[in-house]
Amino acid sequence: MKLSEVKSALQNLETIAFQLPNGDLVPSHFHVTEIGRINKTFIDCGGTVRHENIVNFQLWNANDYDHRLHPEKLLHIIELSENTLHIEDSEIEVEYQGDTIGKFGLDFDGTTFLLTNKQTDCLAKDKCGVPAEKPKVKLSDLQPVNTCVPGSGCC
């Protein structure tokens, strides 16, 4: 989900809710403690230099039960971040504290922001000798072929 999509969704909400991949909701008294621009330059295992730009939201579960982050306040924080940090309309990554800091993708179901699991991947499979994934075929879709003929020795 891109930053512009978050801003658009916030304009139609009365409250903000984030749901973890396991279905649990982030407590409603969470704070957005950071909005940042992360520019990552790295080299993959095949030797290709790559660049990644993301917008980072950090959610923090405070013991401050009397204050709730309202959509208009988060919109203001986002706009301040865009102007001050020159944040572009990039994909969002959300950090949230579990047993350790988790990094999640972000989606929206019309009422709730959904934290989605992220996966690692090899970006240079062709250079690392990682075989391409074979297409999965249902055995029931295969047509039986009788290649055994009398006298061929296959039976």
Side-chain angles (χ1 to χ4, degrees), residues 1-104:
M1 180 172 213
K2 289 193 167 207
L3 187 60
S4 60
E5 295 170 298
V6 171
K7 289 169 51 177
S8 177
L10 287 169
Q11 292 175 8
N12 300 314
L13 293 177
E14 292 184 27
T15 60
I16 306 170
F18 286 91
Q19 184 177 5
L20 294 162
N22 68 4
D24 291 346
L25 290 174
V26 170
S28 60
H29 54 277
F30 74 92
H31 290 258
V32 174
T33 57
E34 292 179 11
I35 294 180
R37 179 184 74 183
I38 297 177
N39 301 319
K40 180 178 172 182
T41 301
F42 60 99
I43 190 166
D44 68 25
C45 57
T48 301
V49 174
R50 297 182 184 265
H51 306 278
E52 179 180 80
N53 297 309
I54 61 168
V55 176
N56 180 279
F57 284 18
Q58 185 180 78
L59 305 183
W60 180 57
N61 183 12
N63 292 327
D64 180 8
Y65 297 98
D66 296 327
H67 296 92
R68 303 288 187 269
L69 182 62
H70 295 282
E72 61 275 5
K73 176 68 174 175
L74 183 53
L75 270 170
H76 174 72
I77 295 168
I78 290 170
E79 290 168 358
L80 181 62
S81 300
E82 287 176 308
N83 294 332
T84 304
L85 302 174
H86 308 289
I87 291 177
E88 298 173 1
D89 188 26
S90 299
E91 288 292 321
I92 304 278
E93 180 178 81
V94 178
E95 292 180 352
Y96 181 68
Q97 183 72 44
D99 293 333
T100 187
I101 297 172
K103 291 186 176 193
F104 301 91

